[in-house]
Amino acid sequence: MSRREQYTIDTSALDFDPIELVDKYYQERDKRVHKEGFGQYQEIKGEFSNFIDDHYVEPGFTREPLKDEVEVVIIGGGFGGLLTGAELRKAGVKDIRIIDRAGDFGGTWYWNRYPGAQCDIEAYVYFPLLEEMDYIPKERYSHAPEILEHSINIAKKFNLYDDVCFQTEVTELRWDESISRWIIYTNRGDEIKAHYVAMSNGLLTKPKLPGIPGIDKYKGHTFHTSRWDFAYTKGSPGGDLMTGLADKRVGIIGTGATAIQCIPHLGEAAKELFVFQRTPSSVDVRKNAPTSPEWIARLQPGWHKKRMEDFDILLTGGLPSKKDDGSIIHKSDLKKNETNKDEVSDGWTDVANSEKKLTKDKPKLSKEQKKEIREIADLTKMEEIRNRVSGIVEDEETAEALKAYYWQFCKRPCFHDEYLQTYNRPNVHLIDTHGQGVEEITEKGVVIDGKEYELDCLIFATGFEVGSNYTSMAGYDVIGRDGQSLKQKWDEGLSTFHGLFSKGFPNCFFLGFTQTALTASFTHMLGEQAHHLAYVMKHSMENDATTVEATQQAEDDWVESIKAKSAAIERQYIQCTPGYYNNEGHTGNNNGFLSGQYGGSGAEFFKLLSDWRDEGSLDGLEIK
Ligand code: NDP
C-alpha cells in the first residue's frame, strides 16, 4: 500500500513530509500482517484453562441448582447488565435475576484489577448514572477500584443483588414454544424459566494467548493481565508496591492499552523487567487531576447527559449540541468562525479540534480537501506524540522503537505520564521484535532473534478474543423458535433490528456491539441501549404481551441500511497496522470487530433510537 498522490492542499508549513510519513505507515503495516490473522492466537481451554481461573473468590463455592421462573434474566453483571437492571427497575419491573460467571458485579472492572488499571475516557463521561447516584468521581481519569465500587453501588441502589446468581456460567438458552418462555441452563445445573432475557456478555471478556511455539513448555510462573496473580506479585489493584517481584526477572508480552498501564508498576517492583514489544502504542499526555470542587459547584442538573452526548459529537468532529440550559445550538446560531466550546478537551477530542483549527478560515473546501486536512491533522498529532517519546526516553534506540507509525485511531490511543519514563530505569529493558512478535517460548523464558531471555515470571498482556462468532465469545448458544441456533444464524455475520432484536429469538435482547454505533465511551452506548430496551419491555408488559420479536422486513432493512456505512469504515481501517480493530489486517471476516456495525456516529444512532421511541408505533416489532 502507499499514498503516492500529492496533497492538493498546501503542506509547505509542515516540519515533516506527509507523503514520506504515510509511506512509512504502510511499510510498518505491511511488515506486521500475520498470514494467519486471528488464527495466530491460542484459545484458552484445556491445558491453558487455569489462565481464566477467578483469583478474587474463595475456592469451592457450591449451591443447589435452581429450577424456578423469573420475569427477566439478565446475563452479565457489567455496566450493560447493571444499566439494563437499573432502567427496568425505573420502569417498575420487580422480578429480575442477573447471572454472571464472576463473583460480583463490575464486568471488565471485576476482572481487570492489574496494578495501574485505569479508565482512559474522562470519568465524568464514562461513569454511568452519575446524577441518579449523586456521585462525582474523585479524579478526572478514574482508577479501577473506584469504578468497581461504582458498579457495586449501582447494584445496591437498584436492588440488583436480589436473586443474583454469581459464579454461574450460562451453558445454553432455549426457547420453549409450548410455554413461551426461555429456559436458561447453567454449569450449576440450573434450569431457569424466564419471560424475557437480556444478553450483555461484554466484548473484550475472553482473554487470549498468542500461539507462540513452545507456549505450553514454560515452567516459570505465568498469568494473563485480566487475572492478575497478587498472591504471587503482592501489591494491590490500588497500586501498592509488588514486593513479591523484588527478586524476580519478569517478562511481559504485549504493549497495548493494558500493558501501558501496568508496566510502570512492574518497572518499579521487579528486579528486572523485559518488555517484549511487537507494535508500540501511541502514548499521549494523561494529565490526570483530582476533581475540582469549584467545577462541581458549577454543575447544573442535566450536565452529565449533555457531557456524554457532547463527547460523542466532538469525537466525530461535530459541535456540542446543546447550551448549558439544554436548548439546542444550531450551526447557524454560531457567529462566523466561531466554534462551540469543547468542555472535555482532552487527547480524545484533540484530533477533531486540530482539524477544526485547520479548516477555520476555509469555508469552501472540497470533499477531497477535507479528507486531506483530516489526514494532516492526524499526522501532526502523531508527530507530536512521537516527539514526546524523544523528549522523555533517554536511550535513542529505545525511544525510536517506542514510536508508533500509524493513524491515531488504528489502535486504541493510550495516555500515560509514567509509561515512557519507565524505560529510563536501569532495570527495564525494551526488547523490540520489529513487528514480528516473540519467536519462541522455552522452559526458561522467551526467545527473540535467537537469544533466550530467562524469566521467573511471564505475564501475557495479549488482549482478548474478538472476531469469532458472537456465541463462541459468549460461551453458549441460543436456540430460538423451531430449534434455530443463533450461532448458525450469525455465523456469516450479525443480523438484527436496531442491534437489539433478532427474528426467531422472541423476548431475547442483545446489548453491546451488535450492529450498534461505535463510540469510545462504551458505557454511554450501553446506557442508551438499556433505556431503549426498557421502553420496549415496559410497553410489552403493560400490554400483557406474550412475545416481542423483530419482523423479517425490519431486520432485513436494518442490515441493508448499515452495510454501506460499515463497509466504508472497514475499508478505511484495512489501511491500518494490524490489530483487533481490523481483523489483524485481513478483510473478509464477517464477525470482525467493525463488521456490520452501524457505521454512523454514536450521536446519530442514539437520535435514531429516540426518534423511533417518540414516533411511538414500535414499527418493526411484532408484539403479540
Ligand atoms: P490488545 O489486544 O490491545 O494488545 C495486545 C498486545 O499483545 C499488543 O501489543 C499485541 O501486539 C501484543 N501481542 C500479541 N501477540 C503477540 C506476540 N506473538 N508477540 C508479541 N506481542 C504480541 O490488548 P489490551 O489488553 O492491551 O487492550 C485490549 C482493550 O482493552 C483495549 O483496546 C481497550 O479497548 C481496552 N482497555 C481499555 C482501557 C481503558 O482505559 N478504558 C485500559 C486498558 C484496556 P500487536 O499490537 O502487534 O498486535
Side-chain angles (χ1 to χ4, degrees):
M1 280 189 178
S2 75
R3 193 208 196 287
R4 266 289 137 209
E5 320 94 70
Q6 295 299 319
Y7 284 89
T8 60
I9 55 168
D10 181 12
T11 58
S12 57
L14 298 173
D15 53 10
F16 56 86
D17 179 341
I19 302 229
E20 267 179 27
L21 204 47
V22 176
D23 272 353
K24 182 161 172 70
Y25 282 14
Y26 290 140
Q27 284 157 18
E28 290 292 324
R29 173 201 183 275
D30 290 349
K31 80 179 184 200
R32 284 181 168 79
V33 179
H34 195 292
K35 65 178 184 324
E36 286 181 55
F38 281 122
Q40 68 181 285
Y41 294 104
Q42 163 71 55
E43 194 184 341
I44 298 192
K45 60 180 186 187
E47 60 182 312
F48 297 103
S49 39
N50 59 328
F51 274 94
I52 45 171
D53 286 349
D54 185 348
H55 300 307
Y56 317 126
V57 288
E58 293 294 321
F61 169 75
T62 56
R63 65 167 172 80
E64 289 300 310
L66 295 163
K67 314 258 174 205
D68 59 1
E69 178 167 342
V70 291
E71 185 69 1
V72 183
V73 159
I74 298 173
I75 303 172
F79 277 132
L82 285 165
L83 291 168
T84 305
E87 288 289 341
L88 290 177
R89 289 284 195 236
K90 286 196 245 171
V93 180
K94 294 202 168 56
D95 193 12
I96 300 173
R97 174 177 293 156
I98 296 187
I99 302 177
D100 198 301
R101 64 166 68 88
D104 208 332
F105 287 104
T108 197
W109 302 104
Y110 174 89
W111 295 111
N112 285 288
R113 303 188 189 199
Y114 58 85
Q118 190 177 13
C119 184
D120 60 11
I121 303 289
E122 191 194 57
Y124 321 129
V125 170
Y126 181 82
F127 274 56
L129 302 177
L130 281 179
E131 288 188 77
E132 286 94 325
M133 297 295 294
D134 196 16
Y135 184 71
I136 303 285
K138 294 183 196 125
E139 43 183 357
R140 195 163 175 212
Y141 301 96
S142 298
H143 286 83
E146 188 186 1
I147 312 175
L148 180 57
E149 196 183 325
H150 188 66
S151 311
I152 288 169
N153 288 339
I154 292 174
K156 285 181 185 159
K157 180 174 170 96
F158 291 96
N159 300 323
L160 299 173
Y161 277 99
D162 298 354
D163 220 9
V164 75
C165 288
F166 287 135
Q167 300 190 57
T168 301
E169 277 182 50
V170 172
T171 51
E172 188 182 272
L173 290 189
R174 189 172 279 274
W175 177 250
D176 185 335
E177 190 72 49
S178 66
I179 51 171
S180 295
R181 292 292 181 268
W182 285 99
I183 317 287
I184 296 110
Y185 298 92
T186 78
N187 66 342
R188 300 262 168 210
D190 304 318
E191 282 182 37
I192 302 161
K193 294 191 188 79
H195 194 173
Y196 301 97
V197 180
M199 293 168 65
S200 183
N201 308 299
L203 180 70
L204 300 162
T205 54
K206 207 173 165 189
K208 67 174 161 44
L209 294 172
I212 300 168
I215 187 169
D216 52 335
K217 298 207 171 72
Y218 181 63
K219 292 229 158 69
H221 198 78
T222 181
F223 55 88
H224 188 275
T225 46
S226 68
R227 302 290 190 276
W228 199 269
D229 191 352
F230 285 106
Y232 177 82
T233 64
K234 307 294 184 265
S236 71
D240 294 321
L241 186 68
M242 291 179 280
T243 52
L245 301 181
D247 57 349
K248 302 286 190 298
R249 295 161 302 176
V250 178
I252 181 164
I253 299 183
T255 46
T258 298
I260 298 308
Q261 296 181 338
C262 64
I263 281 171
H265 294 266
L266 290 169
E268 187 188 10
K271 182 174 147 211
E272 277 198 285
L273 176 66
F274 296 88
V275 179
F276 300 104
Q277 172 181 275
R278 186 163 70 179
T279 308
S281 282
S282 72
V283 186
D284 203 354
V285 175
R286 172 71 306 162
K287 260 208 252 162
N288 199 8
T291 304
S292 130
E294 294 78 33
W295 176 76
I296 298 175
R298 286 200 303 274
L299 295 174
Q300 298 295 318
W303 72 270
H304 186 222
K305 186 166 169 26
K306 178 178 184 305
R307 202 172 181 93
M308 290 191 293
E309 287 172 355
D310 285 356
F311 181 71
D312 277 334
I313 294 169
L314 284 159
L315 273 188
T316 50
L319 298 170
S321 55
K322 289 175 190 154
K323 294 183 189 162
D324 286 341
D325 64 5
S327 61
I328 305 282
I329 293 179
H330 295 286
K331 276 192 185 171
S332 55
D333 295 337
L334 297 169
K335 294 193 197 86
K336 193 167 177 276
N337 296 335
E338 186 188 30
T339 54
N340 202 10
K341 212 171 152 203
D342 172 5
E343 290 281 347
V344 179
S345 181
D346 71 356
W348 284 96
T349 61
D350 208 31
V351 173
N353 276 336
S354 45
E355 188 184 321
K356 273 186 224 147
K357 274 184 230 148
L358 288 167
T359 50
K360 213 171 162 206
D361 303 315
K362 304 180 185 75
K364 289 217 169 92
L365 290 166
S366 67
K367 208 170 152 200
E368 179 59 26
Q369 284 171 322
K370 282 189 189 151
K371 183 173 165 266
E372 289 182 4
I373 282 175
R374 271 198 299 280
E375 281 190 14
I376 297 293
D378 196 311
L379 291 169
T380 308
K381 179 74 207 169
M382 288 298 278
E383 270 294 281
E384 184 190 310
I385 294 173
R386 285 186 285 269
N387 291 337
R388 179 172 184 253
V389 182
S390 305
I392 294 174
V393 178
E394 289 155 12
D395 178 69
E396 268 178 40
E397 199 183 326
T398 307
E400 205 43 48
L402 286 165
K403 292 181 183 172
Y405 286 95
Y406 46 79
W407 306 103
Q408 190 179 25
F409 293 102
C410 278
K411 285 188 176 271
R412 178 94 181 181
C414 299
F415 307 89
H416 214 284
D417 293 337
E418 286 103 42
Y419 174 71
L420 295 169
Q421 291 79 346
T422 302
Y423 293 97
N424 293 335
R425 288 178 176 274
N427 64 324
V428 177
H429 318 283
L430 179 72
I431 313 298
D432 186 30
T433 66
H434 305 284
Q436 299 311 296
V438 169
E439 202 172 297
E440 187 189 347
I441 296 180
T442 63
E443 281 188 12
K444 291 185 187 157
V446 160
V447 180
I448 310 286
D449 277 343
K451 180 175 173 191
E452 186 182 53
Y453 295 84
E454 290 193 17
L455 304 165
D456 301 301
C457 173
L458 178 58
I459 301 169
F460 289 96
T462 44
F464 303 87
E465 206 180 295
V466 181
S468 53
N469 187 291
Y470 175 84
T471 52
S472 312
M473 285 190 282
Y476 57 92
D477 201 0
V478 183
I479 312 297
R481 281 197 207 277
D482 305 321
Q484 186 185 15
S485 138
L486 187 67
K487 179 171 169 28
Q488 277 166 3
K489 178 172 176 181
W490 285 4
D491 225 8
E492 292 306 312
L494 300 165
S495 181
T496 72
F497 171 51
H498 285 171
L500 288 152
F501 319 95
S502 197
K503 169 87 178 146
F505 300 86
N507 301 356
C508 182
F509 312 116
F510 310 94
L511 287 105
F513 278 122
T514 45
Q515 299 190 318
T516 49
L518 295 162
T519 155
S521 185
F522 195 32
T523 48
H524 184 202
M525 205 238 325
L526 290 170
E528 294 285 339
Q529 289 180 326
H531 183 66
H532 194 74
L533 198 53
Y535 168 89
V536 171
M537 279 168 80
K538 187 165 185 250
H539 177 95
S540 172
M541 286 172 184
E542 282 173 356
N543 289 284
D544 285 328
T546 308
T547 56
V548 48
E549 186 177 355
T551 65
Q552 192 61 54
Q553 188 63 51
E555 188 168 317
D556 292 347
D557 290 349
W558 183 248
V559 173
E560 200 49 46
S561 73
I562 61 179
K563 253 188 199 159
K565 271 185 168 181
S566 66
I569 293 192
E570 277 186 79
R571 273 200 303 280
Q572 187 185 327
Y573 265 86
I574 206 65
Q575 302 173 16
C576 280
T577 192
Y580 74 85
Y581 284 2
N582 72 348
N583 295 320
E584 298 292 336
H586 293 266
T587 47
N589 176 353
N590 290 323
N591 287 302
F593 184 70
L594 296 171
S595 302
Q597 297 302 341
Y598 171 68
S601 70
E604 261 176 72
F605 179 69
F606 304 147
K607 176 149 183 351
L608 184 143
L609 292 186
S610 88
D611 287 350
W612 184 88
R613 291 194 299 273
D614 290 347
E615 195 271 326
S617 69
L618 282 80
D619 190 27
L621 292 180
E622 193 173 29
I623 299 180
K624 286 200 282 199

